[in-house]
Amino acid sequence: MDDFDKRIDEIIRKHSLHQCLECGKCSASCPRLIAGKEYSPRLLAHKLIAEREDETFIESSVWECLTCGLCEERCPSGVDISHLILEMRTLLAKSKGLRGYRAHDGALHSWMRMMTSPELQQERLGWVDPRVKTATHGPIAFFTGCAPYFDVFFSGIEVDTLSIIRDSVRLLNFLSIEPVLLANERCCGHDLLWTGDQENFETLCRLNYEEFKAAGVEEVVVTCPECYHTLGTYMPKVISGFDIKVTLLIHLLEREIKKGGVAFKPFKRKLTFQDPCRLGRISGCYDTPRTLLSLIPQARLREMENSKHSALCCGNNAFINCDAYSKRVQVQRLKEAKSTGAETLITACPKCMIHLTCTMRDPYSRGSLKLEIRDLVSVLADHIEWSGK
Ligand code: SF4
Ligand code: SF4
Ligand code: SF4
């Protein structure tokens, strides 16, 4: 047995793949397969264990998965498909140079890799409103993620992910926090990590950690659930002695609002909520968004047919494999949202906003999928009573 095989054995042991019963529940719930793609997590499990010589099948299947984690909810044997896929991608990228099919010709992955240059000079704080209070040094930082780049890159579909981070800083000021904004922050590395580029991911971790330490940061507040999962779970695996607390802004808001004294203006609107995969199934956060929305008078939340643990993904992850099957998943999700009668689709991840907006604006749908889409943080910032602050 060579090193490559030994590594696969380690991966399948770590993620309990030997416990697979071949029941097929994963395939029966997989949005990619249901959308018609020739892809089966059950068959991939079988091939990895019993027919590893079918390299063509394994090497293509590993890149098909959305890593949405829906199958893990159904699997009776506790097989952790999405993290198994992550490690298989890392192995295949390193040993065979495989990368999967990258959306937008890999432009997003290129800018993420460009950020690994230690000499990089960025102008990433031009969005900061002079009315908000921020700092260059201090114990609490706000991590902006890739929003400053997304708005430029996706200007054609008019996404406004910058408003999410502007509203996040306003809310931190409301809580009397003047967060550090790092002029040379890098991407958290989520997409490089989940497409197998471990080396560049680790470089981003080290550069971000150096920035945190140079600014005296002890706690990083994030809005994006991908940044939250990456900084909180994967960065500590790279940085030994990692000593930065990673906090999700909506958790902080929930904790502070529960202390009392915060009121909200009415929002007379029917809402539905898209559970982002990295927030819900991967971080286990389902209640906080719903609790926060319930505090806004007259806002009525209507759940989609598939919500919380069963929520359907926004159709893409880490900007790979955007194809007709991803579009089908997105169209189904938007139809589910519309069938609730909601006027506004609330999400809590800039990438859900990007991918779902992209599909809403498809000219071939003739506007039939259009729905107002807002981030949870922006809705909270718009409806919080600012008086007295
Ligand atoms: S649901 Fe779990 S046990 Fe069933 S085939 Fe899939 S991985 Fe195997
Ligand atoms: S993680 Fe999602 S896309 Fe991947 S096999 Fe499971 S259900 Fe399918
Ligand atoms: S859904 Fe649109 S924005 Fe998202 S990867 Fe595909 S083409 Fe790009």
Side-chain angles (χ1 to χ4, degrees), residues 26 29-32 39 41 65-72 81-82:
C26 49
S29 59
C30 175
R32 198 117 170 98
Y39 164 64
C65 174
L66 297 167
T67 67
C68 71
L70 185 53
C71 54
E72 292 149 31
I81 290 276
S82 52

Side-chain angles (χ1 to χ4, degrees), residues 4-12 15 17 44 47-48 52 55 57-63 80-99 193-197:
F4 184 73
D5 265 328
K6 277 192 201 145
R7 182 70 192 112
I8 294 182
D9 275 348
E10 279 167 24
I11 294 170
I12 64 181
H15 299 288
L17 202 63
L44 175 61
K47 298 268 181 187
L48 281 170
R52 209 173 290 170
E55 291 176 12
F57 179 92
I58 292 171
E59 288 172 9
S60 66
S61 292
V62 159
W63 302 96
D80 178 2
I81 290 276
S82 52
H83 290 92
L84 175 140
I85 291 281
L86 188 162
E87 292 194 39
M88 281 300 301
R89 285 179 183 171
T90 310
L91 177 65
L92 290 172
K94 195 169 177 198
S95 57
K96 302 197 175 187
L98 302 183
R99 296 172 147 210
L193 174 72
W194 287 82
T195 51
D197 189 350

Side-chain angles (χ1 to χ4, degrees), residues 1 6-7 10 41 44 75 120 160 184 217 224 248 262 283 361 363 374 379:
M1 185 180 275
K6 277 192 201 145
R7 182 70 192 112
E10 279 167 24
L44 175 61
C75 175
L120 183 74
D160 183 14
N184 247 329
V217 172
C224 169
L248 194 59
V262 179
S283 302
R361 287 175 184 260
R374 304 281 320 272
V379 170

Side-chain angles (χ1 to χ4, degrees), residues 111-112 115-116 124 143-147 149-150 185-194 197-198 200-209 212 220 222 224-232 234-236 238 246 278 351:
W111 95 46
M112 291 162 187
M115 288 194 218
T116 60
R124 56 177 299 140
F143 193 83
T144 59
C146 285
Y149 296 97
F150 286 149
E185 180 192 298
R186 307 302 209 273
C187 164
C188 72
H190 174 280
D191 292 358
L192 297 185
L193 174 72
W194 287 82
D197 189 350
Q198 180 73 21
N200 283 315
F201 166 67
E202 290 186 6
T203 304
L204 291 176
C205 288
R206 282 190 283 274
L207 290 168
N208 274 325
Y209 187 70
F212 296 155
V220 177
V222 296
C224 169
E226 292 193 348
C227 297
Y228 177 60
H229 182 56
T230 309
L231 299 183
Y234 283 93
M235 202 165 170
V238 175
V246 182
R278 300 300 187 251
K351 290 197 189 156

